[in-house]
Amino acid sequence: MAFTTPEESFEPTVMFFGLTNSPATFQAMMNELLRDLINIEKVAAFIDNFIIETEMEEGHDELVVEVIRRLEENDLYVKLEKCKWKVQEVRFLGVVIGPEGIKMEKEKVRGVLE
């Protein structure tokens, strides 16, 4: 989404606050970039949050590299300090996902029970 002023053209590198369709547009782009991986249930993407899942460690690194490659090809980048690598359990969008399945975060359940 570039725009032009009399002096210069600009293309933002991040979404503008206040654009009501920005999250939906960005999500659609993520779905398109990763469609084949999402369809085989190896990648879950919610806006700029990703889970890359493999049943065995073999092949996991290659899958991570493929996701990062696709992002970089589209001028999107991963902040390594925000990533968690090769974990068995992860908090994602208010739930905990692990080998036993999906469960609610304890803090969220506590608020309902009290």
Side-chain angles (χ1 to χ4, degrees):
M1 170 190 351
F3 61 93
T4 304
T5 68
E7 288 81 31
E8 196 171 348
S9 292
F10 296 93
E11 185 171 355
T13 58
V14 297
M15 290 186 287
F16 290 118
F17 289 106
L19 290 181
T20 57
N21 291 329
S22 290
T25 301
F26 192 79
Q27 181 66 51
M29 181 177 68
M30 290 294 102
N31 290 345
E32 186 60 33
L33 288 177
L34 303 169
R35 180 169 313 283
D36 59 321
L37 300 175
I38 293 170
N39 287 344
I40 61 171
E41 298 181 356
K42 295 295 181 192
V43 175
F46 181 74
I47 305 184
D48 62 348
N49 297 288
F50 302 95
I51 292 181
I52 301 172
E53 182 269 331
T54 55
E55 290 183 22
M56 298 170 56
E57 194 168 330
E58 183 180 324
H60 185 79
D61 292 341
E62 291 82 4
L63 186 57
V64 170
V65 168
E66 176 62 17
V67 169
I68 292 172
R69 182 190 64 76
R70 291 183 191 192
L71 294 173
E72 287 178 344
E73 283 178 354
N74 290 276
D75 295 323
L76 301 167
Y77 300 93
V78 175
K79 288 188 176 182
L80 296 178
E81 65 272 9
K82 290 187 172 186
C83 297
K84 294 184 180 182
W85 306 99
K86 296 184 181 182
V87 295
Q88 292 294 312
E89 189 172 89
V90 65
R91 285 185 160 87
F92 187 72
L93 305 176
V95 297
V96 179
I97 302 171
E100 296 86 38
I102 301 172
K103 52 191 172 188
M104 293 295 298
E105 288 188 46
K106 289 180 182 179
E107 299 81 30
K108 307 239 184 233
V109 174
R110 187 178 312 125
V112 172
L113 295 175
E114 293 176 357

